[in-house]
């Protein structure tokens, strides 16, 4: 099978702990592009944050999946193919439920990030995502000029599980996913990396069978299911592993590099230099 389009998640797939991109992964992505494969990022991050890594990885001009599929941004032009928003009433109910329970709540309004308070989690998030944030008390957090693109709640996993159960009543009108163990994201119901990737493939004229995707989170499940080849990282969420066709080593073991050399550009001479190389774990 010849793959023409490769969608890669960012956190936990391209990048490991500390937002580090290993030399092996950088080299593998360059090799894929040199072989004629169009590589695109598929991330929960904002367009501004995704653009930082698009430039750092020197990817080709084209679409980038942002906000877990709630938006597709054309880079370097900076124009949006589309950007979805949450329904206003449910979004207000989600913010109220989260802030009343003391969760750090982040609301993405247009190109701005509003947060319910300043604390170490926010500072780490802002630094990692390369975006500014504006603190808004709960009463002002919902005074948006237009409904938000997404809502992100940060907290400890057991507490987020309890909140998720509370928010279940809105599950028919919003999409609730965990992108990292301490993140709970509320998205437009029609948003998803899989739907965004399908739209990109159609527009670029790439058949589904020629599309591969790599990810590690619950928010990657629909993308892994839709792609002609879905590849899960070794440390992936159980749902992502179940959705994938194959599982490769962890991000710390340069699993993305091994995925590229094993499945996307098999037989590439650089494959022998991958740390922990060898047959993939199926």
């Amino acid at each position: 099978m010849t793959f023409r389009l490769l969608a890669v998640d960012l956190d936990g797939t391209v990048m490991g702990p500390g937002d580090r991109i290993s030399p092996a992964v950088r080299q593998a992505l360059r090799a894929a592009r040199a072989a004629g494969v169009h590589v695109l990022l598929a991330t929960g991050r904002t367009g501004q944050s995704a653009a930082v890594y698009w430039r750092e990885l020197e990817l080709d001009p084209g679409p980038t999946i942002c906000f877990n599929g709630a938006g597709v941004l054309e880079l370097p032009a900076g124009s949006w193919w589309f950007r979805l928003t949450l329904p206003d009433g449910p979004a207000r109910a989600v913010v109220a439920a989260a802030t009343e329970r003391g969760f750090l709540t982040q609301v993405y309004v247009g190109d701005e990030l509003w947060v319910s308070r300043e604390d170490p989690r926010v500072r780490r998030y802002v630094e990692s995502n390369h975006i500014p944030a504006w603190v808004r008390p709960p009463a002002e957090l919902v005074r948006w000029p237009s409904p938000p693109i997404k809502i992100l709640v940060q907290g400890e996993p057991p507490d987020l599980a309890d909140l998720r159960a509370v928010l279940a009543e809105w599950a028919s009108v919003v999409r609730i996913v965990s992108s990292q163990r301490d993140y709970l994201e509320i998205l437009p119901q029609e948003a998803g990396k899989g739907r965004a990737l399908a739209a990109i493939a159609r527009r670029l004229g790439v058949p589904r069978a020629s599309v591969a995707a790599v990810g590690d989170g619950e928010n990657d499940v629909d993308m892994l299911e839709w792609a002609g080849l879905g590849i899960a990282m070794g440390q992936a969420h159980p749902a992502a592993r179940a959705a994938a066709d194959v599982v490769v080593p962890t991000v710390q073991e340069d699993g993305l590099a091994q995925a590229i050399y094993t499945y996307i550009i098999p037989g590439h001479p650089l494959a022998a230099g991958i740390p922990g190389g060898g047959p993939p774990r199926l």
Side-chain angles (χ1 to χ4, degrees), residues 14 47 57 177 182 228 232:
V14 171
L57 293 167
V177 297
D182 55 349

Side-chain angles (χ1 to χ4, degrees), residues 34-56:
V37 180
H38 186 99
V39 178
L40 66 89
L41 299 178
T43 179
R45 292 176 180 243
T46 66
Q48 182 178 346
S49 181
V52 170
Y53 295 99
W54 177 87
R55 289 190 293 268
E56 182 176 340

Side-chain angles (χ1 to χ4, degrees), residues 90 93-94 97-98 101 159-177 184-186 189:
V94 167
R101 290 164 175 78
D159 299 327
L160 290 177
D162 292 341
L163 177 64
R164 189 168 189 166
V166 171
L167 300 181
E169 66 175 297
W170 300 107
S172 63
V173 291
V174 300
R175 184 164 178 246
I176 305 170
V177 297
L184 190 65
E185 303 203 20
I186 295 82
Q189 181 63 254

